Amino acid sequence: YPGAGEDSLSDISFSVKKGETIGIIGGTGSGKSTLLRLIAGIIKPDSGTVEITAPKGKIGYQPQNPYTFSGTVEDNIKLGVHGEADIEKIISDCRLEELKKKRSSALSGGEKQRMCLARMLAGGYNLLLLDEPLSAADIETSAQMGKYLAKECERTGTTLLTATHMPSQAEIIATKILIMNNGEISEYSDIEKLKEPKSDFGRKFIEQWRIL
């Protein structure tokens, strides 16, 4: 995918099983966001196909700069509800109880991300595509929310692909890691097998972040 204004992708081919959680990692400009946008159907590939078995309307996509609606935190989360969802529990689990009556426009960057993540989790989606969902959170909050996200996906059987520039965060959330470099897949494997990456870039990237 050359894509005007997008990071180009080439020779991308991989599959994800239902219920798997995939952490997409790589440096700035490696193609992480473009890959998620392709899967979400926001942009179209110049060649090849993207095949998704999740029913239409059951795919949730959260961009790197998630959109917030006017109103309170609670109002924003309720807008995402599809089917049955325990809003109060989601608000509590996302550490938003003290903020639920606060206007969304008054939130910090990390608070907005948690609110939007809660809205996504309230959607009852079969497939979640999240682009840097916790990039503005502090280390402790990022770890706690990452564990919660992984637990919720496991509980509900939700398939998750999440892009992050922090491999340590992907390690908390994902069971598989996809490493991207210059628009190509450098590594794709169970996280346990990445202790010894096969590619030179994979070894350098993992060593740089010291996540294993």
Side-chain angles (χ1 to χ4, degrees):
Y1 173 78
E6 301 282 351
D7 301 321
S8 67
L9 303 179
S10 61
D11 298 322
I12 295 290
S13 179
F14 70 103
S15 61
V16 179
K17 295 179 181 178
K18 181 181 178 180
E20 287 187 324
T21 52
I22 313 299
I24 304 171
I25 59 178
T28 301
S30 61
K32 302 186 301 295
S33 295
T34 300
L35 179 58
L36 288 181
R37 285 164 61 82
L38 277 169
I39 297 171
I42 296 171
I43 52 179
K44 303 296 182 183
D46 292 331
S47 62
T49 59
V50 178
E51 298 182 6
I52 300 176
T53 58
K56 187 176 181 180
K58 286 292 187 177
I59 302 171
Y61 168 71
Q62 180 172 307
Q64 192 167 348
N65 296 310
Y67 187 79
T68 59
F69 298 93
S70 60
T72 66
V73 168
E74 187 175 27
D75 292 335
N76 268 259
I77 296 172
K78 286 182 176 179
L79 286 172
V81 175
H82 292 280
E84 296 183 4
D86 189 337
I87 297 298
E88 292 303 317
K89 185 178 186 305
I90 292 173
I91 288 174
S92 175
D93 289 343
C94 291
R95 304 173 62 186
L96 294 167
E97 284 182 303
E98 296 182 1
L99 300 172
K100 69 179 185 178
K101 298 301 181 184
K102 192 171 183 177
R103 307 292 293 183
S104 62
S105 58
L107 298 178
S108 67
E111 290 168 347
K112 286 181 179 178
Q113 285 186 331
R114 292 209 311 278
M115 179 188 72
C116 292
L117 181 58
R119 190 170 66 208
M120 296 298 293
L121 292 172
Y125 297 110
N126 290 10
L127 171 62
L128 282 178
L129 307 168
L130 308 180
D131 194 353
E132 300 280 4
L134 298 168
S135 59
D138 58 59
I139 294 175
E140 181 181 355
T141 301
S142 176
Q144 290 177 346
M145 290 302 300
K147 291 176 182 177
Y148 168 62
L149 176 58
K151 184 178 178 180
E152 279 300 287
C153 287
E154 181 179 9
R155 182 183 69 82
T156 59
T158 302
T159 304
L160 170 68
L161 283 83
T162 180
T164 176
H165 66 284
M166 298 176 63
S168 56
Q169 185 183 95
E171 189 180 23
I172 291 172
I173 298 172
T175 56
K176 282 189 173 182
I177 298 294
L178 189 154
I179 303 178
M180 296 195 67
N181 179 37
N182 292 328
E184 297 182 352
I185 296 176
S186 178
E187 300 274 344
Y188 181 50
S189 181
D190 294 338
I191 192 167
E192 294 84 359
K193 295 181 181 179
L194 286 180
K195 292 179 181 179
E196 297 181 2
K198 295 179 181 179
S199 68
D200 289 338
F201 177 80
R203 285 191 292 271
K204 291 177 182 177
F205 194 83
I206 297 300
E207 182 180 352
Q208 175 186 355
W209 286 92
R210 300 177 182 177
I211 68 167
L212 299 173

